[in-house]
Amino acid sequence: MSQAITVQPGQVIERILTLELVRVTERAAVASARLRGRGNEKAADQAAVDAMRRELNKLPIDGTVVIGEGERDEAPMLFIGERVGNRNGVKVDIAVDPLEGTTLCAKDMPGSIAVMAMAESGTLLAAPDVYMQKIAIGPGYPQGVVDLDASPEENLHNLAKAKGVKVTELTALVLDRPRHTDLIAAIRKTGAGVRLISDGDVAGVIFTTNPASTGIDIYLGIGAAPEGVLAAGALRCIGGQMQGRLILDTEEKRSRALQMGVKDPNRKYDMKDLASGDVVVAATGVTDSALTKGVKFGKDVIETDTVVYRSATGTVRRIYGEHRELSKFHLD
Ligand code: VTB
C-alpha cells in the first residue's frame, strides 16, 4: 500500500499540487504553441485558456479565479470569480495568465509563457485589469533599499551601493512603451543600462532574482496589474522585494477596483500584500526565453520546459517534459 503524504500544519497547499500545476501550464503552453507565428493573438490565447481550464477542472481543489482573463461579462472563460477544480479539496485562490505575451506568440518571438499561481484562499490580491506601477529586485539586499516612491536615480544609486558595484554596472528592465520615455531617460542619465522588452513582464520581474545569469538587476515601470500579482507570487518563493501601486486614474476604474475590495486607490502594495500566503507558481515556455525553452513538436514526442516555484520551502524545480500520448494533446 502506498504511504499517505502528510501535510504539515499550516501548509495549506499540499506539495503534491505543485506537480499538478505543471500539468496545467504544460497543456496551455502546448495548445498555444501550435499557433505560434500565425499572427492570431486571440486564437492563441483562446487555445491556452481552453486547455488551462480543462486541466484546472481535473484538480482536487475548490478554486476561485482571482486573477483571470477579465471580468465575467467580457471573458467567456477563466473570468474573475469563476470556480475551478473538482470542488473536492482545499479552498484556493487561482491566478492565471494562460498566454502571457500573446503578441510574442503570434509573432513567434521569444518570451511567451503559460503561467499560473495557486495560493491559500484569500491571499492573492484580487487586482482589476488596470495598470500597475512596479518596482522589483532580487534577493540578498537589505529591506527597503529601493522604493516605489523614490526617484529612479535614488533607487539605482542605493541598489548599486548595496550590491557593492558602480551604478554604471547595473541594468534595469523596462517595458518598451512611450509612457516610459522619461523613466528610461532618467535611468540612462545615471549611467545604468536599460534593457527594453516589448511584452512579458512576469518573466521580466523574475529575471531580477538571478542577475548573474539574466543580467537584470531591477525591474521598473508600468505594466499590467494581474501580471504584477503573478510576478509577486513567484518572487515570494524565490526571495526578493517588490512593490506595486494600481493606476486608478478614472472614476470608472476606481469604482471597479472598489467593487473588488480595493478601498484605498493610492495604496502602495508590498510583495506580501500582493501575495500574502502559501503560494505555488508554474510557468511553461511557449516560445524560448531566458526563463524556459519553448514547446518543441517532434514526430512522436512533444517536449515542454517548465519552472515551478513553491513558497513553503523556496524550492525551484525545472521540469522537462516528454509527452508521448499525443492523441490526448490533439484535443488542444
Ligand atoms: C505588460 C506585459 C504583458 O501587458 O504587463 C503589458 O508584460 C502592459 O500593458 O505581456 P500594455 O501592453 O498596454 O502596455 C502585456 O503586454 C500583455 O498583457
Side-chain angles (χ1 to χ4, degrees):
M1 229 175 67
S2 67
Q3 237 188 334
I5 293 172
T6 14
V7 180
Q8 299 301 316
Q11 288 192 357
V12 179
I13 310 285
E14 298 172 43
R15 57 186 194 150
I16 212 154
L17 284 172
T18 309
L19 255 184
E20 295 293 338
L21 236 64
V22 174
R23 291 201 175 87
V24 176
T25 56
E26 281 178 348
R27 293 296 288 261
V30 170
S32 49
R34 289 190 193 288
L35 295 163
R36 280 184 308 220
R38 302 314 196 264
N40 191 338
E41 306 181 5
K42 274 219 165 99
D45 192 40
Q46 190 64 51
V49 171
D50 293 350
M52 192 171 260
R53 186 172 189 252
R54 218 174 25 240
E55 289 304 306
L56 271 174
N57 282 334
K58 292 179 190 163
L59 300 190
I61 54 166
D62 182 355
T64 303
V65 176
V66 294
I67 297 286
E69 283 288 288
E71 281 137 66
R72 185 185 290 261
D73 301 336
E74 70 217 32
M77 280 178 173
L78 291 175
F79 53 82
I80 297 166
E82 179 171 340
R83 301 269 300 273
V84 290
N86 71 5
R87 313 278 170 91
N88 262 333
V90 61
K91 262 182 153 344
V92 287
D93 281 357
I94 299 288
V96 299
D97 198 347
L99 181 56
E100 152 71 335
T102 47
T103 309
L104 299 173
C105 176
K107 293 185 176 173
D108 201 1
M109 285 167 63
S112 64
I113 55 174
V115 57
M116 71 162 289
M118 180 187 293
E120 264 178 87
S121 178
T123 64
L124 290 180
L125 178 76
D129 196 2
V130 297
Y131 284 121
M132 179 186 268
Q133 187 193 356
K134 309 172 195 176
I135 186 168
I137 55 172
Y141 297 108
Q143 194 59 37
V145 67
V146 297
D147 194 286
L148 199 60
D149 291 327
S151 66
E153 293 84 347
E154 270 179 272
N155 280 326
L156 287 161
H157 281 112
N158 289 343
L159 186 63
K161 209 166 149 206
K163 193 177 176 182
V165 298
K166 294 196 193 102
V167 74
T168 52
E169 290 171 60
L170 295 180
T171 303
L173 185 129
V174 178
L175 274 168
D176 193 3
R177 297 288 187 276
R179 63 177 177 267
H180 290 145
T181 305
D182 292 347
L183 172 65
I184 292 165
I187 299 169
R188 288 194 177 135
K189 210 166 158 217
T190 67
V194 177
R195 186 183 301 168
L196 294 169
I197 54 166
S198 68
D199 288 287
D201 73 346
V202 175
V205 168
I206 295 174
F207 287 164
T208 64
T209 62
N210 193 358
S213 120
T214 62
I216 299 301
D217 298 289
I218 183 165
Y219 173 94
L220 286 167
I222 296 171
E227 276 83 349
V229 175
L230 276 161
L235 229 56
R236 283 268 345 252
C237 304
I238 315 165
Q241 299 176 44
M242 179 171 172
Q243 291 173 329
R245 181 178 281 123
L246 300 172
I247 300 187
L248 301 169
D249 49 5
T250 65
E251 199 42 55
E252 188 268 330
K253 287 181 196 163
R254 282 190 288 276
S255 85
R256 239 169 61 212
L258 185 65
Q259 272 177 16
M260 293 174 75
V262 177
K263 292 191 190 88
D264 175 2
N266 298 313
R267 178 165 170 188
K268 179 163 65 173
Y269 293 95
D270 229 318
M271 184 169 71
K272 279 209 166 170
D273 302 320
L274 298 169
S276 61
D278 235 0
V279 58
V280 182
V281 182
T284 302
V286 176
T287 57
D288 285 346
S289 77
L291 199 62
T292 46
K293 293 208 173 84
V295 176
K296 272 202 198 123
F297 293 101
K299 192 164 105 21
D300 303 310
V301 174
I302 299 173
E303 294 168 71
T304 53
D305 184 23
T306 304
V307 61
V308 56
Y309 309 99
R310 181 165 184 248
S311 71
T313 50
T315 313
V316 178
R317 290 186 172 83
R318 306 199 142 267
I319 300 182
Y320 161 74
E322 283 185 2
H323 308 277
R324 291 201 170 69
E325 279 186 294
L326 298 193
S327 59
K328 278 195 182 167
F329 282 86
H330 290 323
L331 268 175
D332 297 329

